[in-house]
Amino acid sequence: MKLWGGRFTKETDELVNAFNASISFDKRFWREDIEGSIAHVTMLAKQGIITDEDKTSIITGLKSILEDVDSGALVIGDEYEDIHSFVEANLIERIGEPGKKLHTGRSRNDQVALDMKLYVRSEIKEIRSLTVDLLKTIHNIMKDNTDTYMPGFTHLQKAQPVTLAHHFGAYFEMFKRDYSRLTDTLERMNYCPLGSGALAGTTYPLDREYTAKLLEFKCATANSMDSVSDRDYVVEMLNDLSLIMMHLSRFSEEVIIWNSNEYRFIEIDDAYSTGSSIMPQKKNPDIAELVRGKTGRVYGALMSMLTSLKGIPLAYNKDMQEDKELTFDAIDTVKGCITLFDGMLKTMKFNKDSMSSSARNGFTNATDAADYLVNHGVAFRDAHGIVGELVLFCIDKGIALDDMSLDEYKKICPVFEEDIYEAISMKTCVEKRNTKGAPGATAMKAAITANEEFLNNL
Ligand code: ARG
């Protein structure tokens, strides 16, 4: 059944039908479509636009469609143009005349604007809760690893020692921002478009605020033309999702590097790795690689949405139907990636010995050796030059700063004394760094307490 056709004398071309129809993908929000319709008729009856009997019969019919689709007794067939036609046709089939009143004071333009909003709203909530799961996993790893020393990198070169807790703490901050961005998006999209009609409102005395309240929005949208053509919130959500993927992708890249034969900082659980069909020794970090690879799809959805919208004059145009497939794909991709990444982190083993020996062998304590000299009256620029000489000496001998004898130290600079070893030990290097946000135990404890509070107050 079509929702239009009265003014047409010819059948629609088959190819046109297929090109125009959206049922194959918008059937995804059949629940939202029914939910919106129930709110709409409830309001119509309250306003005396339809009778209470009609309302009851429509709602009973809609609920029976909901149950039947849920149970599988009713299949959403591709012979309909879209989900709205499917629901209305089924309703009329089930309850007859009253079903024809469902669409009073409504257009598919405000209907689809509502359905998409309801769907995106519930998916954002779902993605937010997956983000919280991931934050909890990171938090637990942080708590267990405040003294797991490892090299911190700049330019992917060993720079200064940090801890695993500190390194993971950086990702905690990123995903915390992602969570708050999703919350911001929810806040800005919290206005109900239903009752905007095709573009210019309706002549029926609708109570749009009542419908908005029934559907748990803050209030009704302010301009009917904007209501039916606004997809800003889709762009915002895709931007939020792109940032989540960017963060996951950076994290994945580190997992891949840390899992390599050269690093061996981590061991990915067998359940989260795959093998090679030809090389028996291989255990590949495919999950991390796929997460990194799928990032492109989500960025693509964002670019696609922005581009589809940029030339659309007010109000609704069919271009807007293009808001769905890529958005659905981006949502599915992000949900899958967060879930898999979380599972991979939860089951991952950290090779603490490799991490700390890597930190010891990369001159990550060179800055602290220079600071030692500064604390003994040497100007920093001179200290920098002296420690540079020490490093050259060590590279030549294939040893670490910690392995030099005091005599060797003194030959390069007589200021060095026995306490240099303590001053450049990994523990000292990390534990003396206690400014807010630094890796020292005191600073880390404060960060972990703050994270705990954040998680407890969600
Ligand atoms: N399938 C359409 C969409 O997704 C529904 C709205 C149709 N409105 C219209 N005037 N043709 O945008």
Side-chain angles (χ1 to χ4, degrees), residues 22 26 82 84 108-109 112 231 316 318 320-321 324:
S22 52
D26 66 17
D82 52 30
H84 326 298
R108 273 188 299 166
N109 296 352
V112 78
R231 298 292 183 277
Y316 176 85
K318 196 62 178 248
M320 287 178 158
Q321 184 165 290
K324 294 177 193 64

Side-chain angles (χ1 to χ4, degrees), residues 204-311:
Y204 301 98
L206 305 186
D207 183 349
R208 294 195 53 220
E209 297 302 350
Y210 180 69
T211 317
K213 221 177 77 204
L214 290 177
L215 293 166
E216 290 171 14
F217 284 99
K218 195 154 136 193
C219 62
T221 48
N223 179 293
S224 60
M225 289 180 90
D226 176 52
S227 306
V228 293
S229 57
D230 168 33
R231 298 292 183 277
D232 290 5
Y233 65 95
V234 179
V235 174
E236 278 197 45
M237 182 204 51
L238 291 173
N239 174 64
D240 302 344
L241 300 192
S242 294
L243 282 162
I244 292 177
M245 287 307 293
M246 186 267 283
H247 293 148
L248 281 177
S249 184
R250 292 181 73 175
F251 210 163
S252 293
E253 175 68 7
E254 303 215 88
V255 166
I256 293 161
I257 293 172
W258 292 2
N259 180 66
S260 67
N261 294 327
E262 286 68 25
Y263 277 74
R264 288 267 159 259
F265 282 7
I266 54 169
E267 168 107 30
I268 300 177
D269 195 75
D270 276 1
Y272 281 86
S273 351
T274 51
S276 155
S277 59
I278 177 170
M279 297 165 284
Q281 83 282 14
K282 283 288 205 83
K283 204 175 135 186
N284 297 327
D286 287 28
I287 297 305
E289 289 170 23
L290 273 173
V291 170
R292 187 179 58 183
K294 284 177 189 290
T295 304
R297 287 164 76 140
V298 180
Y299 290 2
L302 171 63
M303 280 307 124
S304 167
M305 192 66 233
L306 281 167
T307 312
S308 292
L309 290 173
K310 84 180 199 5

Side-chain angles (χ1 to χ4, degrees), residues 61 63-66 68-69 74 89-96:
K63 285 191 172 157
S64 72
I65 296 175
L66 195 87
D68 289 352
V69 176
L74 177 63
N90 259 277
L91 182 70
I92 295 169
E93 233 169 71
R94 285 173 189 228
I95 66 165

Side-chain angles (χ1 to χ4, degrees), residues 34-234:
I34 293 175
E35 192 192 339
S37 290
I38 291 177
H40 182 63
V41 290
T42 307
M43 179 278 295
L44 289 180
K46 179 183 94 69
Q47 296 300 96
I49 301 166
I50 60 168
T51 63
D52 275 338
E53 288 102 69
D54 283 346
K55 172 190 91 173
T56 310
S57 132
I58 294 173
I59 292 180
T60 311
L62 288 171
K63 285 191 172 157
S64 72
I65 296 175
L66 195 87
E67 272 165 29
D68 289 352
V69 176
D70 230 354
S71 71
L74 177 63
V75 176
I76 305 176
D78 279 358
E79 65 272 23
Y80 299 92
E81 181 184 340
D82 52 30
I83 189 62
H84 326 298
S85 329
F86 167 81
V87 173
E88 199 174 319
N90 259 277
L91 182 70
I92 295 169
E93 233 169 71
R94 285 173 189 228
I95 66 165
E97 280 306 302
K100 295 183 184 165
K101 297 183 182 168
L102 168 66
H103 212 52
T104 316
R106 186 175 74 172
S107 147
R108 273 188 299 166
N109 296 352
D110 56 343
Q111 190 179 357
V112 78
L114 172 73
D115 290 2
M116 186 68 179
K117 228 179 206 186
L118 290 176
Y119 180 79
V120 165
R121 181 173 76 177
S122 92
E123 291 295 335
I124 290 183
K125 288 182 180 165
E126 174 82 24
I127 294 170
R128 257 195 345 177
S129 93
L130 292 175
T131 309
V132 173
D133 294 343
L134 179 61
L135 281 168
K136 284 183 180 157
T137 302
I138 295 174
H139 180 61
N140 288 334
I141 295 172
M142 287 175 72
K143 280 197 292 194
D144 290 345
N145 288 285
T146 50
D147 57 0
T148 304
Y149 301 122
M150 63 175 288
F153 298 84
T154 62
H155 314 272
L156 200 52
Q157 309 222 37
K158 292 178 194 176
Q160 289 173 342
V162 294
T163 64
L164 185 62
H166 190 238
H167 198 113
F168 269 49
Y171 285 102
F172 191 96
E173 293 304 313
M174 291 179 231
F175 294 117
K176 195 168 80 178
R177 285 196 294 274
D178 290 333
Y179 178 93
S180 88
R181 248 187 296 273
L182 291 168
T183 306
D184 291 348
T185 303
L186 279 179
E187 177 63 26
R188 243 185 317 279
M189 65 184 280
N190 202 4
Y191 301 88
C192 182
L194 200 62
S196 297
L199 78 162
T202 85
T203 53
Y204 301 98
L206 305 186
D207 183 349
R208 294 195 53 220
E209 297 302 350
Y210 180 69
T211 317
K213 221 177 77 204
L214 290 177
L215 293 166
E216 290 171 14
F217 284 99
K218 195 154 136 193
C219 62
T221 48
N223 179 293
S224 60
M225 289 180 90
D226 176 52
S227 306
V228 293
S229 57
D230 168 33
R231 298 292 183 277
D232 290 5
Y233 65 95
V234 179

